[in-house]
Amino acid sequence: MENPSGTVPGHDNSGMSVLEQHVSYFDQDKDGIVYPWETYRGLRDLGFNPFFSLLIPIFINLGLSYLTLPVSYLLHWIVFCKYIYMYIT
């Protein structure tokens, strides 16, 4: 493993952890929220076929959204990038 810390020296990580950087790849419009269609588009950009690109966001967005939602937010299909750290704690 070349970079166990996750960020290559000289790379501007904008103060984000490695996990936040990973999740922000799927945030197509850079608003800090990952919607299922953004997950779909990110998976298609990575080369996944259309069937799996439709199926995988169901599990990713439903699985991650509950733990990343602000308390008063009711929509359980979106992932908030800045709260992704809560998923691993």
Side-chain angles (χ1 to χ4, degrees), residues 24-30 37-50 52-54:
S24 71
Y25 168 79
F26 292 95
D27 183 14
Q28 302 285 315
D29 57 4
K30 304 299 180 207
W37 54 87
E38 292 177 317
T39 306
Y40 170 83
R41 184 74 252 154
L43 291 169
R44 291 294 293 141
D45 290 345
L46 288 172
F48 283 83
N49 69 42
F52 284 112
S53 294
L54 280 173

Side-chain angles (χ1 to χ4, degrees), residues 9 11 18 20 22-23 26 30 34 38 40 45-46 50 58 62 64 71 73 84-85 88:
H11 172 71
V18 176
E20 289 170 322
H22 172 78
V23 172
F26 292 95
K30 304 299 180 207
V34 180
E38 292 177 317
Y40 170 83
D45 290 345
L46 288 172
I58 294 170
L62 274 178
L64 293 176
V71 176
Y73 218 88
I84 195 67
Y85 71 91
I88 58 170

